[in-house]
Amino acid sequence: MNAVSDHTGASPRLDEPPFIVPLCAVFRKHLKADGQKFTAERARVLDTVIRMERVFEAEDLLDELRRRRMRVSKATIYRTLKLLQDAGIIEPVLFDQKQTHYQLAYGQPPRDQMICVETGRVIEITVPEIIDVRDRIAARHGWSPVGHRLQIFAVSPEAADEPSEEG
Amino acid sequence: MNAVSDHTGASPRLDEPPFIVPLCAVFRKHLKADGQKFTAERARVLDTVIRMERVFEAEDLLDELRRRRMRVSKATIYRTLKLLQDAGIIEPVLFDQKQTHYQLAYGQPPRDQMICVETGRVIEITVPEIIDVRDRIAARHGWSPVGHRLQIFAVSPEAADEPSEEG
DNA sequence: CTTGGTGCAAACATTTTGCAGCACA
DNA sequence: TGTGCTGCAAAATGTTTGCACCAAG
């Protein structure tokens, strides 16, 4: 079973994203507010996270850090992922897999996904209409909306063309 | 952290749902098609799943089966959950937790959720508009939609009333 | 009767934690 | 200079699997 696999093993960005500086500041600020420290290890993890092109998991970070000759222990990676999530810099993306997958969240519009049920290919989509729908639903129940997550399951054109494997 | 906790430990239904018979038939048929057997243990698990009022996890089933004096091993529960998912009778619901949560899927309209970010309360919602949105998005990319999943994060009225715990 | 199912316990994969020494603010 | 951080390895958690016996079809 590898329904959702082509997005894992995320490859690093080649260009320097412009938000690296503010993100670093955001993280420092968040840490300071909690009496926590901005260490070299945390900087390395943040920097590597920012370079991740797609959804990634703890193991991907470990690999990428190793590739960049930056040593950070597995325990610290897990601990830092949690801090980055608290700071709103990354957010978990939920798949039917046991490892937690993350994506950059800071300054991004809500990133929804469309997943091919045949090939497992995942593409990111933006669905502005959703905001409206969600606000309406929340209002109807008397709740105050703060966010959402949408996954669309579909068959991609590549998969539709190919003769199905099972039958 | 127990952001999503009040929906776990699902309590059993008291009334006999009308779809118990067709569901049983669906499961038998699915099993037979694969040369698999409909055993007493599988019947017990299906019956208990049907009685689950809400989203549940493997452990909830184990508890409920024990409460009903029906002995099924943990291994068999996990194996049966997978079969029920194959048969389209249940489907995984994704939360930010490591255990897999399931809900009845057969014959149900798509069941989406609204989750209180303060209390963790989860309510099920039906958002008919989503179907439209999803079909449009898929069409725009040339994909054929087959399903979706939506979670709305919001603050419930109870939580909004109470003074926040953290400053 | 044959093939697949069950329970058990051990194996597994991922994530968390205790602890001793280290480093940032 | 003190509190928080790190790495390590061990623990914890949730799920899967090998195997000997059992039962559905």
Side-chain angles (χ1 to χ4, degrees):
Chain A
M1 202 267 280
N2 57 352
V4 188
S5 58
D6 88 334
H7 71 93
T8 57
S11 43
R13 290 209 164 92
L14 294 178
D15 57 307
E16 200 78 6
F19 41 85
I20 182 166
V21 179
L23 271 186
C24 189
V26 166
F27 194 31
R28 294 186 98 112
K29 192 177 141 198
H30 178 86
L31 290 171
K32 179 168 281 179
D34 267 28
Q36 292 172 302
K37 292 167 184 172
F38 184 75
T39 64
E41 287 82 359
R42 288 173 183 180
R44 283 178 216 147
V45 173
L46 173 58
D47 191 78
T48 306
V49 160
I50 289 169
R51 289 183 148 75
M52 287 301 193
E53 229 181 5
R54 312 160 152 283
V55 167
F56 61 90
E57 55 193 86
E59 200 62 26
D60 296 328
L61 273 187
L62 198 58
D63 289 350
E64 185 53 24
L65 281 160
R66 204 171 293 149
R67 200 166 296 128
R68 300 176 71 196
R69 304 289 138 90
M70 293 170 149
R71 194 155 298 157
V72 180
S73 75
K74 187 173 287 195
T76 294
I77 288 178
Y78 278 105
R79 289 188 275 233
T80 306
L81 282 172
K82 206 151 285 178
L83 293 172
L84 288 169
Q85 194 182 337
D86 289 348
I89 291 170
I90 61 176
E91 67 184 2
V93 189
L94 304 178
F95 291 111
D96 296 338
Q97 289 179 280
K98 71 175 91 174
Q99 320 92 294
T100 305
H101 289 77
Y102 294 95
Q103 67 185 7
L104 252 184
Y106 186 85
Q108 307 281 131
R111 292 160 97 188
D112 299 310
Q113 284 108 26
M114 185 151 61
I115 299 146
C116 178
V117 296
E118 295 292 334
T119 65
R121 185 172 154 219
V122 177
I123 65 173
E124 283 178 5
I125 56 179
T126 310
V127 192
E129 307 95 295
I130 276 291
I131 307 284
D132 236 60
V133 171
R134 141 194 130 181
D135 290 355
R136 202 159 50 243
I137 297 285
R140 187 178 306 162
H141 291 263
W143 295 38
S144 314
V146 301
H148 75 271
R149 230 184 236 142
L150 174 68
Q151 296 187 325
I152 295 177
F153 301 101
V155 180
S156 63
E158 313 91 81
D161 292 343
E162 301 221 350
S164 166
E165 278 181 51
E166 87 174 323
Chain B
M1 202 269 278
N2 58 352
V4 188
S5 58
D6 89 334
H7 71 92
T8 58
S11 43
R13 290 207 164 94
L14 294 180
D15 57 307
E16 200 78 5
F19 41 87
I20 181 166
V21 178
L23 271 186
C24 189
V26 166
F27 195 30
R28 293 185 99 111
K29 193 177 139 197
H30 178 85
L31 289 172
K32 179 168 281 179
D34 266 28
Q36 291 173 303
K37 293 167 183 171
F38 184 75
T39 64
E41 287 81 0
R42 288 174 184 179
R44 283 178 217 146
V45 172
L46 173 58
D47 191 78
T48 307
V49 160
I50 290 170
R51 290 184 149 75
M52 287 302 194
E53 229 181 5
R54 313 160 152 283
V55 167
F56 61 90
E57 56 192 84
E59 200 63 27
D60 296 328
L61 273 187
L62 198 58
D63 288 350
E64 186 53 22
L65 281 160
R66 204 170 294 149
R67 202 166 296 128
R68 300 177 71 196
R69 303 288 140 92
M70 293 170 150
R71 192 153 300 152
V72 180
S73 74
K74 187 174 285 195
T76 293
I77 288 179
Y78 278 106
R79 290 189 273 232
T80 305
L81 283 172
K82 206 153 285 178
L83 294 172
L84 288 169
Q85 194 183 336
D86 288 349
I89 292 171
I90 60 174
E91 68 184 2
V93 189
L94 305 179
F95 291 110
D96 296 338
Q97 290 178 281
K98 70 174 91 173
Q99 321 92 294
T100 306
H101 289 76
Y102 294 94
Q103 68 185 5
L104 253 184
Y106 185 86
Q108 306 281 130
R111 292 159 99 188
D112 300 309
Q113 284 107 26
M114 183 151 64
I115 300 145
C116 178
V117 297
E118 295 291 335
T119 65
R121 184 171 155 221
V122 177
I123 66 174
E124 283 178 5
I125 55 178
T126 310
V127 192
E129 307 95 294
I130 275 292
I131 307 284
D132 236 61
V133 170
R134 141 196 129 181
D135 290 354
R136 203 160 49 243
I137 296 286
R140 188 179 304 163
H141 291 262
W143 294 39
S144 314
V146 300
H148 75 271
R149 233 183 232 143
L150 174 68
Q151 296 187 326
I152 296 177
F153 301 102
V155 180
S156 63
E158 312 91 81
D161 292 344
E162 300 221 350
S164 167
E165 277 182 51
E166 85 173 325

